[in-house]
Amino acid sequence: MPYLNVTEVESAVTSLATAYPDLTQLIALPNESFEGRTAHALQIGVPAALPKPCVMMIGGVHAREWGSCEILIHLAADLLEAQRDGTGLGYGGTSFTAGQVSDLLHRIDLVIYPLVNPDGRHYSQTVRPMWRKNRNPSYTGGSQNPDCVGVDLNRNYDFLFDFVTAFDPAAGPRVSNDPCDVQVYAGPSAASEAETQNVLALLDQFPQTAWFVDVHSYSQDILYNWGDDENQSDNPDMNFRNSDFDGKRGRPNDLAYAEYIPREDENAEQELAEAFCQGLKGVRGLAYKPITGFHLYPTSGTSDDYVYSRHFADPDQGKVLGFTVEWGTEFHPRWAEMEQIIRDVDAGLVQFCLATT
Ligand code: 0X9
Ligand code: ZN
């Protein structure tokens, strides 16, 4: 089986809902993409009287990172089949017992949204394989340059969106306010894009979400908060909301700024990231690394930092620990290798879920 096209991703999601009506809910996302595509997410879990904590996982945000959709669809299919049949799960050298699967699906719900950017995936699979952004042409200013279409959805969230003000000019965060930047154009305003709004709608629909994983490629790691600067747990006033630190964020190895994270949150994130890496390593020995987003490169407007920041910006919102998985060493591995990567990452994600106790 080669990579799924956008129609096949959508029908995989709806087919799982039809095949497992007692263990799933199909969720229609409210906004159409620019090209008129609609999408669904899938809630997976054994129904309970009270709302359960949720792990939300999204994928297909960056158009060219094709395998992310398959990783999430296989994860859903594997868990549902194991729960229905009362079997365990085996991924190479990592295995989970039937009891672990059943306990997991009784304790938490998984909310899986495998294709956030369907227009981008379609364009990447039919026209320009290395395309990353969505396909919204609203900000080209009449330019015919094809690079000027689209927004990087993983810079479009409301976290330090005004990066020109927030960051030290010398920090060089990986983000742009130029619509013709083919990689990291953040959009005209936070959450300007229908696809971003769909993720926000899903978060609103599942306020009991406590963990969030955005599946990307590639660099063989799992990133945890924060992505704008180094972490510190000593000075709560030094934080993304405090304008006293505008113009100072984003430089490594300096005392001017580091982003506040409560020590217990950082410990929890490290433990979960390590659980992911351990489950993954058991499959065939690959050593993915847990690092903060900042240690990949400084960013604004990403999903992982946005979901975690919401609780600090508005304490009525539950706390969501944010992660980004970066699978693989290339965007389009041949399918036989992608099948191995799916096993690697799905074992990591199940181990991650088990560690959310
Ligand atoms: O740059 C991104 O959006 C992600 N990497 S990718 O190669 N898939 O484009 C990483 C985002 C990581 N998160 C933070 N730095 N906060
Ligand atoms: Zn990506």
Side-chain angles (χ1 to χ4, degrees), residues 112-231:
I112 290 184
Y113 181 13
L115 180 47
V116 172
N117 179 12
D119 295 356
R121 184 178 181 88
H122 181 69
Y123 190 67
S124 169
Q125 290 187 330
T126 57
V127 180
R128 193 166 160 183
M130 292 305 278
W131 191 254
R132 168 177 166 108
K133 301 188 282 182
N134 74 358
R135 293 294 302 158
N136 186 352
S138 307
Y139 319 116
T140 57
S143 167
Q144 296 303 305
N145 177 351
D147 290 1
C148 306
V149 171
V151 169
D152 181 353
L153 299 174
N154 208 29
R155 298 295 181 275
N156 190 235
Y157 294 89
D158 189 9
F159 175 74
L160 297 177
F161 187 82
D162 180 5
F163 64 90
V164 176
T165 300
F167 283 78
D168 184 324
R174 195 77 72 94
V175 54
S176 172
N177 49 21
D178 173 6
C180 300
D181 187 304
V182 73
Q183 305 295 355
V184 289
Y185 172 49
S189 55
S192 58
E193 301 312 290
E195 297 87 348
T196 312
Q197 291 164 22
N198 278 339
V199 176
L200 303 190
L202 200 58
L203 287 163
D204 285 347
Q205 196 172 339
F206 292 95
Q208 55 299 13
T209 298
W211 306 275
F212 176 94
V213 185
D214 194 345
V215 179
H216 285 251
S217 65
Y218 60 87
S219 56
Q220 299 199 138
D221 39 38
I222 179 166
L223 312 171
Y224 56 93
N225 305 107
W226 292 96
D228 61 317
D229 206 312
E230 267 145 350
N231 287 351

Side-chain angles (χ1 to χ4, degrees), residues 57 71 75 91 94 96 213 222 272-283 288 325 341-355:
M57 299 189 188
I71 284 169
L75 176 68
Y91 299 102
T94 295
F96 304 99
V213 185
I222 179 166
L272 287 159
E274 269 155 27
F276 170 85
C277 294
Q278 183 222 317
L280 187 151
K281 186 169 194 175
V283 179
Y288 278 43
V325 164
I341 295 170
I342 292 169
R343 276 191 275 279
D344 293 334
V345 177
D346 284 345
L349 290 173
V350 174
Q351 196 79 63
F352 177 100
C353 290
L354 288 172

